[in-house]
Structure formats: structure tokens, C-alpha cells
Amino acid sequence: MQLGVIGLGTMGANLARNAASRGVAVSVYNRSAEKTDAFMERYAHEGSFSACASLKELCASLKPERVILLMVQAGPAVDAVLDELGEYLQEGDIVIDGGNSHYRDTERREQTLAKRGLRFIGMGVSGGEEGALKGPSMMPGGDEAATKKILPMLQLMAADDGMGGKCVSYIGPGGAGHFVKMVHNGIEYAVMQLIAEAYDLLRHSGRDNATIADAFAQWNASPRDTSFLLEITEKIFRTRDTLTGKDLIDVIDDAAGQKGTGKWTTEAAMHYGFAIPTINAAVDARILSGSRISREGWSKVPVEADQTAGVADTESIGDALSLSSLIAYMQGLTLIATASQAEGWNLRLEDIARIWRGGCIIRSALLSVLQDAYSDGKQAEKGMSEVHRRLSHGAQQSWRNVVASGVTAGVPLPAMTASLAFLDGMRSPRLPQSLIQAQRDFFGAHGFSRRDQSGVHHGPWAGAC
């Protein structure tokens, strides 16, 4: 097996090393020759590598039908590389975009390359630096025949799913692979924000960082909740700053960045018409955190809050975090189902949940439950029964109490509150949007639907605008 890798940043370099460690002959190229040289100096002994000084040389080093993995920055850089690369490719060659490209861009690129007989795969890759090296979760979409051809290589590279399989599967046509990775990142935003809110509650109640680390260790030790993000969060709270000797968390700025996939997820939800309020709240929270000047102005606003009300026990906060996270995953998976139906992708949610169980950033014990819940037949019944069980038995009341105490104490809990509101909205037999229908008809004659008759109706409003 042969593979060409273009782009030797952290992810590209580690995927190249991953493939080489599995017996794949890997040709590498980076626009900066210094980076290629540094890569070879450090890692050439790990496998069969060929350093290439140009795209032409890289293509010449691979036998047709070539397989080339692009690990360059999403956006115009991908198009620029594809344009130049196209001079040296032949019909039947396979190009994989392993970056976080927008799924509509992936669809456009596949159609463009197909006209020249080239096969294109848009593949989401999750796992960060360690996952890329030791085994990521991979979500290839686009050309199905091309994916099947390279699947044996991808299976060698992918993480184990804990069920005897690998965390890679053909997702679906067009931009489906990148769409699923985009929503994966949206869920990641949500869970990270929920963890941050749990931290804020613990911090607000006077717990020190060591005690907070113990709380995250306790939650991660639970078979119900164990996850990669909880695992690393405990480690973060136990890490000291080498410059000051203080706890590192206390010297890190509170303005969080983002690269766009969270925002794309919220835009997709608006487009396809499915509510993902927890993910939206997480994106908003990052934006708010970066609004430094505005925050300084608002800091002068007097706050009437009970500063003792935020004290909650560790178990209750853990319940609130667990159930809020469960809702966030379900929002993401249902958005994927909604988009799949609209686009005709025929995506398998059970399989998507499975390939997220290892290697990726959002791997969690929750996914075994959701794998069942989004399957067919008795497995789905079993999974949804477990979801309902988790949402009861006192845990839901703890969740409500934690959110209420946070609001009373003035602790911002946008994502936890959004998850709870989503649950209450979805379970309510009658929502107040009947009034919104009436208001729209009153001032704009937009009409409304009735519960007892079909068609569009208008009210006999007195004094209509």
C-alpha cells in the first residue's frame, strides 16, 4: 500500500506516521521544505517514507491508482492545492481531503474532479494529535467505490471501537463525511461548554482546583459517564504552570477561540429546521467570552444574586452535566438524521455513534446507549428505554435544582439551561407558539393553522394593525 500526504502540520505528520507504522509506504510533501526536512530528520526511522520537494515529485513517487491525503487548511488553500495537483494526476486517482472543510465545498470539489475522472473523498478526522498518531475516528464520504478501495488502509490506521471493529466507516455520498464531522465538532463545543459550566459551579461554591479535579475524576470513574473530555479535564486541574508555579488553569485567559465548525453547525440547523439549542448556546458562550470590551462595560451592572445559592453537591452537578451532555449528543445525531433525509444521504446513525466510540474527542460511554437508541427494532427500544431511565430516578430533579441554584446565584449556565429547556420543549404536549401564530396573523395577516380543521385560517381581530 502507498499513500501520499500533503501538509505536515501536527495532524498531517501524525497521520503519515500512523500509516507508515502500519506498513504503508508514505510519500510526504509540505509547501515549506524546512518542515519536510524536519519531519524526515525526526521520523524517517519509523517506517518507509519518501520526502518530496514538489507535488510533481510526490505524484511520480506513487503508483496509479494513486491515493493522496490532503491535510491543509480548509478553504482556498484546498482549492489551490487541488488545482496544482491536478496537473500530475491521472484518471482513477483518489484524493482525500482530511481537513475540516465545509460540506458544500466538498460536494463542489467532488463534482469538479469527477469531470476529469478523478475520485474525491471528503473525510472528517477526529482524535487530535494523539488520535492521529495512534488511531483516530475517521468519517469518509463522497465517492463510495473509492472509499471501499482505501478502506483496508483506513481500518489499519483507525482506533478500535471496543466491539471488535474499527472507528471508520463509509458515511455517505457527497459532503456527508464532512457534514458528520462538522456536527461532531458541534457536539464537542456543547460538551466542552457543559464541562466548563460544571467547573464554574464548583468554583463558585468555593472548591479549590484539587477538589475540582477530584470531582471530575469521580465522574469519569462512573461507567455511565466516562469520557475523553472528562479524563483530560481532571488532568488540567492538576497541572502547574512552569512559569509561576500556580495552577495553570488560573493563569489561562478566559476568552476561548473557535475555527468555524461550531458556527457551521448552527447554520446547518437553521437551514434544515431542527433545534440544537445546547450547541447554539456553546457557540454563543465562546463568542461572549471573546467580547472583552463589552464584558468590561457590563461588569458595572449591579447584580442582585444570592451568592450562597450556587453551592451544590458534587453528585447533583454530575447529574446535571451527564443529562445535559446526553441531550447535546441527541441534538447532534438528530440534526444528522434531519439533514440525511433532506439530502437523500441515507446515513446510518447507529454506525456513526459506533465510530465515535474510540479515537475521537467526543468518545464517551454515552455513545453505547445512543448506538442502541438510533438503531432499529429491539435495540432501539432498549436504547430509548435507557435514555428515559437516565432522565428519571431523581437525576432530572437534581439537574433542575442545579440549574435553578446557578441562576439564583448569578452563575451563567447557558448550555445546561438550553439542554433542560430542549427536554421540556420536546416533551410538552402543547407549546405556547399558538400565541405566536395568532400574533403574526394579527399584525401581518399571515394566517394560522387550527387543531380542529385543515387549511390556513385568519382571526376576526379587533383593531388589527
Side-chain angles (χ1 to χ4, degrees):
M1 289 182 286
Q2 290 183 308
L3 175 68
V5 177
I6 299 173
L8 294 176
T10 299
M11 291 295 288
N14 280 1
L15 286 170
R17 294 170 63 199
N18 180 333
S21 72
R22 269 72 176 182
V24 179
V26 181
S27 297
V28 296
Y29 166 78
N30 195 83
R31 185 179 60 174
S32 166
E34 291 79 11
K35 186 165 283 190
T36 305
D37 293 340
F39 176 89
M40 294 299 291
E41 185 176 343
R42 293 187 64 183
Y43 306 122
H45 66 280
E46 292 184 355
S48 176
F49 291 109
S50 297
C52 301
S54 66
L55 293 179
K56 181 178 181 180
E57 185 178 335
L58 179 124
C59 291
S61 72
L62 301 169
K63 298 175 183 176
E65 300 169 334
R66 301 173 181 84
V67 179
I68 298 176
L69 173 63
L70 270 59
M71 294 301 298
V72 300
Q73 186 175 1
V78 176
D79 290 313
V81 172
L82 288 174
D83 286 344
E84 185 179 352
L85 190 62
E87 298 180 35
Y88 313 113
L89 296 178
Q90 299 174 4
E91 185 174 344
D93 288 347
I94 300 168
V95 180
I96 310 163
D97 176 9
N100 281 327
S101 290
H102 194 280
Y103 70 104
R104 293 301 190 199
D105 287 338
T106 298
E107 292 172 340
R108 170 179 56 79
R109 290 163 183 151
E110 183 188 12
Q111 293 166 7
T112 300
L113 293 180
K115 294 175 183 176
R116 300 172 50 198
L118 302 175
R119 298 182 283 178
F120 190 70
I121 296 169
M123 184 172 74
V125 181
S126 176
E129 181 178 355
E130 183 177 2
L133 179 62
K134 298 181 179 179
S137 171
M138 293 185 279
M139 297 150 257
D143 191 309
E144 185 173 9
T147 302
K148 288 181 178 178
K149 182 177 178 60
I150 66 169
L151 198 56
M153 179 178 65
L154 298 181
Q155 288 171 335
L156 287 175
M157 297 171 63
D160 294 332
D161 65 4
M163 303 174 63
K166 289 289 191 171
C167 291
V168 60
S169 181
Y170 176 68
I171 299 298
H178 274 142
F179 184 89
V180 168
K181 176 54 166 51
M182 177 190 75
V183 176
H184 162 290
N185 286 16
I187 296 170
E188 179 183 305
Y189 273 58
V191 177
M192 290 172 71
Q193 174 62 26
L194 290 165
I195 289 173
E197 291 174 17
Y199 158 52
D200 210 10
L201 286 165
L202 293 167
R203 181 172 63 98
H204 187 86
S205 66
R207 294 167 170 90
D208 61 21
N209 291 329
T211 306
I212 293 172
D214 291 341
F216 280 100
Q218 177 183 327
W219 297 333
N220 190 50
S222 165
R224 177 190 71 171
D225 296 316
T226 183
S227 73
F228 172 74
L229 286 171
L230 288 180
E231 176 189 335
I232 68 168
T233 300
E234 178 204 347
K235 294 177 180 177
I236 287 168
F237 284 108
R238 300 197 194 280
T239 301
R240 307 285 285 187
D241 177 32
T242 57
L243 295 178
T244 65
K246 298 177 181 179
D247 290 343
L248 183 58
I249 189 66
D250 293 333
V251 301
I252 297 176
D253 189 21
D254 65 349
Q258 56 181 311
K259 291 188 175 180
T261 48
K263 182 185 75 171
W264 291 348
T265 307
T266 67
E267 290 172 346
M270 298 294 178
H271 174 72
Y272 292 111
F274 182 76
I276 54 167
T278 312
I279 297 171
N280 293 343
V283 175
D284 283 343
R286 290 203 193 184
I287 295 171
L288 187 150
S289 77
S291 304
R292 180 73 66 196
I293 296 175
S294 294
R295 287 172 59 195
E296 288 175 357
W298 281 87
S299 67
K300 298 183 176 73
V301 175
V303 178
E304 297 179 1
D306 182 351
Q307 296 301 312
T308 65
V311 179
D313 62 273
T314 299
E315 183 178 357
S316 294
I317 297 174
D319 285 339
L321 174 57
S322 177
L323 296 186
S324 296
S325 297
L326 176 63
I327 294 296
Y329 278 91
M330 296 183 77
Q331 287 175 14
L333 285 165
T334 309
L335 172 59
I336 290 172
T338 305
S340 176
Q341 184 174 14
E343 300 289 342
W345 285 337
N346 195 30
L347 304 186
R348 303 175 303 281
L349 298 187
E350 175 186 8
D351 206 33
I352 291 168
R354 179 189 65 78
I355 66 172
W356 287 349
R357 290 181 61 173
C360 77
I361 302 299
I362 63 170
R363 60 186 183 267
S364 165
L366 290 173
L367 286 163
S368 63
V369 176
L370 295 173
Q371 184 179 342
D372 287 339
Y374 287 95
S375 63
D376 299 318
K378 290 186 177 180
Q379 281 299 105
E381 209 173 296
K382 171 189 169 188
M384 288 309 300
S385 176
E386 176 60 16
V387 169
H388 294 158
R389 188 192 70 77
R390 292 189 181 206
L391 289 168
S392 57
H393 297 284
Q396 184 185 133
Q397 186 60 61
S398 294
W399 182 13
R400 293 183 186 279
N401 291 342
V402 166
V403 169
S405 67
V407 171
T408 303
V411 179
L413 304 174
M416 279 190 187
T417 305
S419 279
L420 184 56
F422 177 87
L423 172 66
D424 285 338
M426 293 296 276
R427 66 164 187 80
S428 293
R430 184 166 172 80
L431 294 168
Q433 276 67 33
S434 53
L435 176 59
I436 292 174
Q437 281 213 80
Q439 291 170 328
R440 293 182 74 245
D441 188 53
F442 190 107
F443 66 67
H446 296 290
F448 54 81
S449 58
R450 296 178 59 102
R451 293 161 64 89
D452 56 356
Q453 297 178 27
S454 61
V456 177
H457 301 269
H458 296 277
W461 312 115
C465 297

